[in-house]
Amino acid sequence: MPGKKNLLKPAVTALTTGVLLLNSAAVFAAPTMLSLDESVAITLKNSSAIKIADADKEKAAWGRKEAEAGKMPTLSLGSTYNLNQSGGGGSHLNNSLRFSWPLYTGGKLEGQIEQAKQSQKIADLGVDKAKQQAKLDATIAYYDVLEARSIVETNQAAVSNLEAHLKNVQAQYGAGVVAKSDVLRSEVELSNAEQNLIKAKNSYDLAVANLNNIMNIDIGTEVALKDELRHDKYDKSLEESIALALKNRPEIAQAQAGVDSANAAVKVAAGGKLPTVSLGGSTGWSDSVLPDSNNNWSMSLTASWNVFDAGVTNAKIKQADTTVTKAAEQYEQTKDNIELEVRQAYLSMQEADKRLATTEMAVNKAEEDLYIAQEKYKAGAGTNLDVIDANLSLTQAKTNHIQALYDYNVSMAKLDKAIGTQVN
């Protein structure tokens, strides 16, 4: 008995290992299940556009620190070593320590700091803008897959209906009830439907690849979507949507920051007409690394005023003024464009909403019409063409309904982005 146990143990281990491997293979082969929210979350995590915007944000923050540092005192250390081989030769070590502090610059430094602050604000808002666009791209790509999946199902149903009809036609032809032409026509229509199904499946595969690309994951990843195309009612009026957009859109805040930055540029240019005051100090010593107690030092308070510059400062101020005018016009243009974007998305959503009601009714009637045509053909009271036409009409009605449902959801997603809904 111990010998038999020893022989059985490797066999049981091998069998268990094989079962585990099969289960693991099944797990690895299973498609990744994704909801819309999960797809958006993956996109927000992996988006290159968001990472680029984050880098711009960090760069702008350091740019502001650089501008603010311009108002602080600076200290510089210099050292020169001279080796002279003529006139008896010799070497000298000359050192200097200099201190400088701009006390007043006529508003130039303050204007530059304000420009840096506005640049940082624009970069911060750029991250929000990138997130909103990434969410919209992922949402539309997700809906593309849902639409393609529904089209596949519709074409599969058309193929199944024609397969069943062909069997009925062949049976009636075998009984001598119908002509050979009915069989041939039914076979042709089935072949056409199978071609459409092949195309629909390819469109689905392409939609999945596009979704994977937008999520920035392996483009060959097999995914299965949890959600369906839904008809959720939008609860805001057009006027309310426009008001939200003008309040929330980062592009408007960016445009306002552009105006503020242009005004700061005027302040910088105008500083050329005002005096500047700086505090300075220096000390120097020779032939030693560290200063001794006898080294000389000095302090200075320097003021300068560019009394006449041949109109250079005036020209700079005029240039800055035109920049303010341009920024103000861009601000108004941004508002108009955003209002148009909201209006287009809202009206497209309303149009799709109206189409949904009519297409749903058309699907119900087309299903009933197909049933009647099939039953009449079975009873010998209808024609083969009636059944084929009814099947084509049902497929078209379902396709129209899917398209309307897709357009409604995409328009709502675009409207959500247009009103500037915050993305966490």
Side-chain angles (χ1 to χ4, degrees):
M1 292 299 292
K4 289 184 178 180
K5 287 183 179 180
N6 291 336
L7 290 173
L8 286 173
K9 187 175 180 180
V12 172
T13 301
L15 180 61
T16 303
T17 302
V19 171
L20 289 174
L21 288 173
L22 287 173
N23 288 336
S24 299
V27 170
F28 287 127
T32 303
M33 300 294 295
L34 289 175
S35 67
L36 175 58
D37 290 340
E38 289 167 342
S39 299
V40 170
I42 293 172
T43 302
L44 294 176
K45 179 182 177 182
N46 297 338
S47 171
S48 296
I50 295 176
K51 292 176 182 178
I52 291 171
D54 280 328
D56 289 338
K57 176 181 177 180
E58 184 177 359
K59 178 183 177 182
W62 286 110
R64 176 178 174 177
K65 289 184 179 295
E66 178 187 0
E68 291 172 341
K71 294 193 70 174
M72 302 301 292
T74 60
L75 191 65
S76 61
L77 175 65
S79 182
T80 304
Y81 180 77
N82 294 317
L83 178 62
N84 187 3
Q85 294 181 339
S86 63
S91 61
H92 301 279
L93 179 64
N94 297 317
N95 302 290
S96 65
L97 184 64
R98 298 181 183 278
F99 163 83
S100 178
W101 190 357
L103 300 180
Y104 179 71
T105 62
K108 287 183 179 180
L109 286 176
E110 290 77 8
Q112 290 169 352
I113 291 171
E114 181 62 26
Q115 284 183 301
K117 287 181 179 178
Q118 297 306 322
S119 294
Q120 183 181 10
K121 183 177 181 180
I122 291 172
D124 290 347
L125 292 165
V127 176
D128 295 336
K129 181 180 175 181
K131 287 181 178 180
Q132 290 177 2
Q133 187 61 51
K135 178 185 177 182
L136 176 62
D137 292 342
T139 301
I140 292 178
Y142 192 92
Y143 289 153
D144 285 343
V145 178
L146 291 180
E147 180 195 30
R149 185 178 70 183
S150 298
I151 295 296
V152 169
E153 292 169 353
T154 297
N155 281 277
Q156 182 62 66
V159 169
S160 298
N161 288 337
L162 288 171
E163 286 175 339
H165 177 63
L166 178 60
K167 290 180 180 178
N168 184 30
V169 173
Q170 289 172 334
Q172 296 207 39
Y173 173 70
V177 177
V178 300
K180 178 68 173 178
S181 59
D182 280 9
V183 177
L184 296 176
R185 179 64 186 273
S186 298
E187 290 174 340
V188 169
E189 292 300 325
L190 175 59
S191 177
N192 291 337
E194 289 172 339
Q195 292 294 313
N196 291 333
L197 178 59
I198 292 171
K199 292 178 181 179
K201 287 181 177 179
N202 184 61
S203 296
Y204 172 80
D205 291 338
L206 291 174
V208 170
N210 182 56
L211 175 60
N212 290 341
N213 183 56
I214 288 176
M215 292 191 296
N216 204 13
I217 63 176
D218 183 1
I219 201 167
T221 302
E222 186 178 355
V223 300
L225 306 191
K226 299 177 183 178
D227 296 331
E228 301 284 344
L229 290 171
R230 300 192 304 269
H231 185 206
D232 298 329
K233 283 292 185 180
Y234 185 71
D235 59 355
K236 297 180 181 64
S237 67
L238 175 58
E239 291 72 20
E240 290 172 333
S241 300
I242 291 174
L244 281 173
L246 296 178
K247 177 183 177 182
N248 297 333
R249 281 291 289 270
E251 291 89 340
I252 292 180
Q254 284 180 319
Q256 181 59 59
V259 174
D260 296 338
S261 179
N263 284 319
V266 174
K267 186 176 182 180
V268 172
K273 288 189 171 184
L274 298 173
T276 61
V277 180
S278 63
L279 178 65
S282 65
T283 183
W285 64 97
S286 301
D287 297 329
S288 64
V289 176
L290 297 176
D292 54 38
S293 58
N294 296 321
N295 64 295
N296 298 320
W297 63 272
S298 65
M299 294 291 292
S300 64
L301 183 64
T302 304
S304 65
W305 194 348
N306 192 3
V307 179
F308 177 73
D309 61 1
V312 172
T313 299
N314 280 332
K316 289 182 178 179
I317 292 173
K318 293 299 182 182
Q319 290 181 63
D321 286 337
T322 59
T323 303
V324 173
T325 302
K326 177 182 176 181
E329 290 298 325
Q330 288 175 330
Y331 175 78
E332 294 299 328
Q333 187 180 53
T334 300
K335 288 175 60 178
D336 292 341
N337 289 339
I338 286 174
E339 182 175 347
L340 177 60
E341 183 182 344
V342 173
R343 191 176 295 273
Q344 287 175 332
Y346 190 91
L347 294 178
S348 295
M349 182 185 66
Q350 282 193 324
E351 178 217 335
D353 188 41
K354 294 174 182 177
R355 284 162 49 207
L356 276 170
T358 58
T359 55
E360 185 174 6
M361 185 183 301
V363 169
N364 293 333
K365 291 183 177 181
E367 287 176 340
E368 183 179 359
D369 182 47
L370 176 61
Y371 174 77
I372 292 172
Q374 289 171 333
E375 293 302 312
K376 287 175 66 177
Y377 187 79
K378 290 177 183 176
T383 67
N384 183 46
L385 184 60
D386 291 338
V387 178
I388 291 173
D389 286 345
N391 189 69
L392 289 174
S393 296
L394 176 58
T395 301
Q396 186 61 55
K398 286 183 176 180
T399 301
N400 290 341
H401 183 67
I402 293 168
Q403 186 65 55
L405 195 56
Y406 169 82
D407 290 344
Y408 181 84
N409 281 271
V410 168
S411 295
M412 184 178 286
K414 289 181 177 179
L415 183 57
D416 185 64
K417 186 260 183 184
I419 64 176
T421 301
Q422 186 67 33
V423 179
N424 297 322

